Amino acid sequence: MLYSLYEAGYYATSPLRRMALAARDFWSSPLNPGAQSDIGRRMFANTDLFANLTRRYGKPDWKIDHVVINGRQVRVRPTTVWSSPWCKLTHFARDTSDLRRAGKTELEPALLIAAPLSGHYATLLRGTVEAFLQDQEVFITEWTNARDVPFLEGRFDFHDYIDHIREMLRQMGPRPHVVAVCQPGPPVLAAAALMAEDKEESRPGSMTFMGSPIDARLSPTVTNKLAEDRPFGWFESNMIYNVPPPYQGTGRRVYPGFVQLASFMSMNLEKHKEAHRNYLQQLMDGDGDSADKHLEFYDEYLSVLDLTEEFYLQTIDVVFQRHLLPKGELFHGERKVKPERITDIGLMTVEGENDDISGIGQTQAAHFLCLGLPPELKEDYIQPHVGHYGVFNGKRFREEIYPRVREFIHRMEHSTMVHGSRPKPPARPPAEIVPIRPRAAKV
């Protein structure tokens, strides 16, 4: 019912939105002599804000047509190389002639970025992709909005996510590397464990987890506590709704993106209110550059997708309530997932000091699950002064985090896992891994 009311609200405001757009165009027209007056700027600012707050935010474009490597522009073309009804594997193909001119003559590592399926589109990782494109052949998972998948395509759950990761790694050839950002950490680790146990040729050469809830019992955040404090049935009764017409997935049970977005925004509601007040003032002051930065951020932030009922509820159950992976109790079909069977896949974990989504220690827990890995194949890093999004995007990511991840991937590329020689020692000794556990952790 809520989904239908949400849709009805959108269509009910459509006439007002069209009026606001017409007024905005009138007060911003260079032919209007009053456009630069105080009242003109105020009218433009208010109608623009109203139009933006009530419009649809569809899937954003990647807007990556080139990357700068060694001071030279290298053309980039996103290409779909594999797909299912639930996901497509996108390769950011770099122009080979441009690469040669930039001094890149050797084949570079293939890297899969596992984008989160937790509300936002994969384009939220645009800055992450641009950084890795400097030194890797980058592939990324682009998950489909569940409301757009016909009901007859069936289910998609936590275990289907694991199978999709395995299949996409196979599509990339032998020993690709994988970076899991936030939510994908547990299913990616499970996929790697299964592939390692089977000695698959396409098992990862390395895996990097960034701000991932591998063990959500450690340093629990507000998000973790909410998932633990509410009974499982509460999520099923209050967070799941049927997709209404005219979407292709009409009738499918989903966790709607707009509900997830409301949860995101409620965590920092005053901050979002202040940002929009500032935007209004910037428009009235004629500060176009600052206003454009606001729009660029919120065009991405307000673009959300729906999750299937089964994927959302299984994630709550498996990752945030029963903690099956860190307890050694996760089964994939009839097979037990055994991270300790991983012996030749490099492991790096990255956490943010101020992360309020995945607390310090949650990602680091992967090291204690992968008991079969020697110390030289492990690395842990905690980035000072960054929150959750700063772990994979922004200035500190580009200047401090990415160089470390790049060094780790390239070291693993030339290690035992790929070429049969002993791993080179790291340029600096790996940080001592000391998990930070809550005082009342549930074991």
Side-chain angles (χ1 to χ4, degrees), residues 335-364:
R335 293 181 61 184
K336 187 176 182 179
V337 176
K338 302 175 181 177
E340 66 272 15
R341 294 293 182 91
I342 299 173
T343 59
D344 62 354
I345 300 175
L347 170 62
M348 182 176 187
T349 56
V350 181
E351 297 176 314
E353 180 186 25
N354 303 324
D355 194 333
D356 58 354
I357 303 295
S358 296
I360 292 179
Q362 293 188 15
T363 310
Q364 202 176 64

Side-chain angles (χ1 to χ4, degrees), residues 217-277:
R217 296 173 297 176
L218 310 181
S219 303
T221 63
V222 172
T223 303
N224 305 144
K225 292 175 181 177
L226 172 64
E228 284 196 355
D229 293 344
R230 303 279 188 180
F232 181 78
W234 183 89
F235 293 96
E236 189 173 13
S237 301
N238 293 277
M239 295 296 182
I240 304 300
Y241 302 93
N242 290 322
V243 175
Y247 298 108
Q248 292 187 62
T250 297
R252 183 179 293 283
R253 300 270 289 169
V254 299
Y255 174 43
F258 65 85
V259 174
Q260 176 78 313
L261 181 62
S263 301
F264 286 150
M265 299 193 74
S266 65
M267 294 175 64
N268 295 286
L269 187 58
E270 287 305 316
K271 181 179 178 181
H272 291 295
K273 289 181 178 178
E274 183 64 23
H276 281 83
R277 284 194 291 266

Side-chain angles (χ1 to χ4, degrees), residues 113-151:
I113 298 179
L117 180 53
S118 56
H120 285 106
Y121 289 94
T123 49
L124 188 69
L125 304 184
R126 185 180 292 106
T128 318
V129 170
E130 289 175 328
F132 280 103
L133 274 173
Q134 299 173 74
D135 303 283
Q136 283 88 26
E137 284 294 329
V138 177
F139 298 74
I140 194 168
T141 61
E142 290 200 70
W143 302 102
T144 307
N145 192 333
R147 74 183 184 192
D148 297 327
V149 181
F151 191 82

Side-chain angles (χ1 to χ4, degrees), residues 392-410:
F392 56 87
N393 223 330
K395 182 178 179 180
R396 285 198 170 97
F397 166 75
R398 292 191 302 270
E399 297 180 356
E400 301 180 50
I401 296 175
Y402 171 68
R404 287 176 166 84
V405 178
R406 175 188 60 201
E407 177 189 323
F408 176 76
I409 291 174
H410 281 245

Side-chain angles (χ1 to χ4, degrees), residues 13-87:
T13 58
S14 293
L16 294 176
R17 184 167 49 256
R18 285 193 289 268
M19 291 171 60
L21 288 171
R24 183 189 68 177
D25 292 342
F26 174 78
W27 288 108
S28 62
S29 172
L31 301 178
N32 183 350
Q36 295 305 313
S37 65
D38 181 65
I39 185 63
R41 288 196 297 270
R42 287 179 178 273
M43 290 296 294
F44 167 74
N46 281 277
T47 53
D48 181 82
L49 181 61
F50 179 83
N52 281 323
L53 289 176
T54 59
R55 73 178 178 88
R56 290 278 199 206
Y57 287 83
K59 180 181 180 297
D61 294 328
W62 278 105
K63 299 178 183 178
I64 300 178
D65 55 10
H66 73 274
V67 62
V68 177
I69 300 177
N70 295 332
R72 290 182 175 271
Q73 281 195 3
V74 175
R75 287 168 289 179
V76 176
R77 181 166 57 91
T79 306
T80 300
V81 295
W82 178 86
S83 66
S84 79
W86 300 100
C87 185

